[in-house]
Amino acid sequence: MAKVAAWLAVHLLVLAVAFALFVSWQLRLGLDSLLTGTTGERLESLGKDISASLDDVPESGWGGIIAEKVSPYGLEGLFRSERELGPDAAEAEIPAEIIARAKGELPPPGGQAKPPEAPWHEPRGGPGGFPPPDRGGRPREQREPRALFLTRDPGDGSYWAAIELAVGSPGRGRPPRGVLFLKSDNASANGLFFDYRPWLFGGLAVLAFSILFWAPFVLGITRYAGRISKATGKIAEGGFDTKIGASRNDELGAAGESIEEMSARLGQLLSGQKRFLGDVAHELCAPLARMRTGLGILRESAGGQAERIESIDEDAEELSALVAELLAFTRASSAAVEIETIPLAGICRELAAKELDGHAVGCDIAAGLCVKADRRHLARALGNILRNCHRHAGAGCKVSIAAHLSGNTVNLVIEDDGPGVADEEQQRLFEPFYRPDRSRTRDTGGSGLGMAIVEGSVRACGGKVAAGKSAMGGLLVGISLPRA
């Protein structure tokens, strides 16, 4: 999901940059095209408002009215009459290119092309001393304002708009026609020249629609991938009955079905293996018992062979112990489980007193801390761990038992100050028949099933177990169990 979100963000950033470049190019090269739309309407509406406000007002007050009308847009407004835009017009406030552009856009009196020899303007050239009517027959001074152009000054980067206005009343000596120049430092002019809001809202709407359109598809993929990830994690922990819990008609669905089939097959193979071990161990119990009974009878009448018979009896006892551990190993993961609330401090102290008599044991577990587990499985797991502390760390070792709460999980830590186990062998401690020190005999190393029984018993209780390096110098075994 994080990768999808990051890729979407990059995609949107690229689109935003492309949009900004396009708008910049449009504003630099094609500004006049905006006059055919809402920009032209806004300029002409502003011109109409200013033209109406200038009627019956002395020319000396026009500058203040224009400044008041254009200030909300952050503009500088300059009005120039026809006389002021004569052939020799030149001034510092308006660039020469802008004045020339206004001359080219403003039609001559009468609306007809003027002769080459005629002056550019004839303000009183019409009948009665007023400009001739336009092609529609309306008097020139009564015409509606017209947006002439919108351009950018390449000199200082400012933006200029020009509006043709008919101002004043006939017969009072005021110019009946002129041009209102509007200067802005930016292309927007607070939305008068170019209104970014429709583009912004449109872009946000497209973005929202895209997210709503793609979200179900992306979430469907990521959720199913998450299900597969969780399922494989549970399978790795031994939960071979795990189901993904959803179906899809694509490659992910096929992968999910294959994982479920693989998990079921692995579960069958493992359960068959454990069943075989359990059956073999069970079948070996009876002949072993008869063998030891016969050895006991022979020992009484053996005479000089008593020592040899005693050795055979020790081997038979070792074999009997191995069979018992095999049975315990198979029952650890196959026996019925009865989950109950167990006070952790009580069971730990009870087993420590039994398995570590004479050892220095520290137990730091709160009295009210309880776990959900099967009592027999939990006792078997803790007993094996404490027994290993005595067996491998020595009779004088120190053992620490502590537990702390983490959310809904209780973490139990058992560690000693013995020789410990090499880092590369810690994760293999829970493999059946694995003994870290291969030079040790079964008398010191055991059968290699003790920690495997611990792992099976803890998993049967719904927990996890791991080994590590103890701060005391020896081995650390951590068990995580559900909180009661």
Side-chain angles (χ1 to χ4, degrees), residues 225-236:
R227 287 176 178 269
I228 290 178
S229 178
K230 291 180 180 179
T232 52
K234 291 180 179 179
I235 293 171

Side-chain angles (χ1 to χ4, degrees), residues 384-455:
N384 279 14
I385 296 173
L386 297 175
R387 197 175 303 119
N388 280 349
C389 292
H390 169 75
R391 178 181 296 173
H392 302 304
C397 73
K398 296 180 180 179
V399 179
S400 171
I401 305 174
H404 65 275
L405 189 61
S406 178
N408 291 322
T409 301
V410 176
N411 296 317
L412 176 65
V413 178
I414 303 173
E415 49 188 333
D416 58 52
D417 62 350
V421 178
D423 294 343
E424 62 272 12
E425 295 185 319
Q426 290 170 359
Q427 298 305 316
R428 299 195 63 189
L429 287 178
F430 305 102
E431 294 180 10
F433 302 107
Y434 179 78
R435 292 182 296 159
D437 189 352
R438 291 179 171 79
S439 65
R440 293 183 298 184
T441 65
R442 289 190 182 275
D443 292 336
T444 58
S447 64
L449 286 172
M451 297 303 287
I453 293 173
V454 170
E455 196 269 341

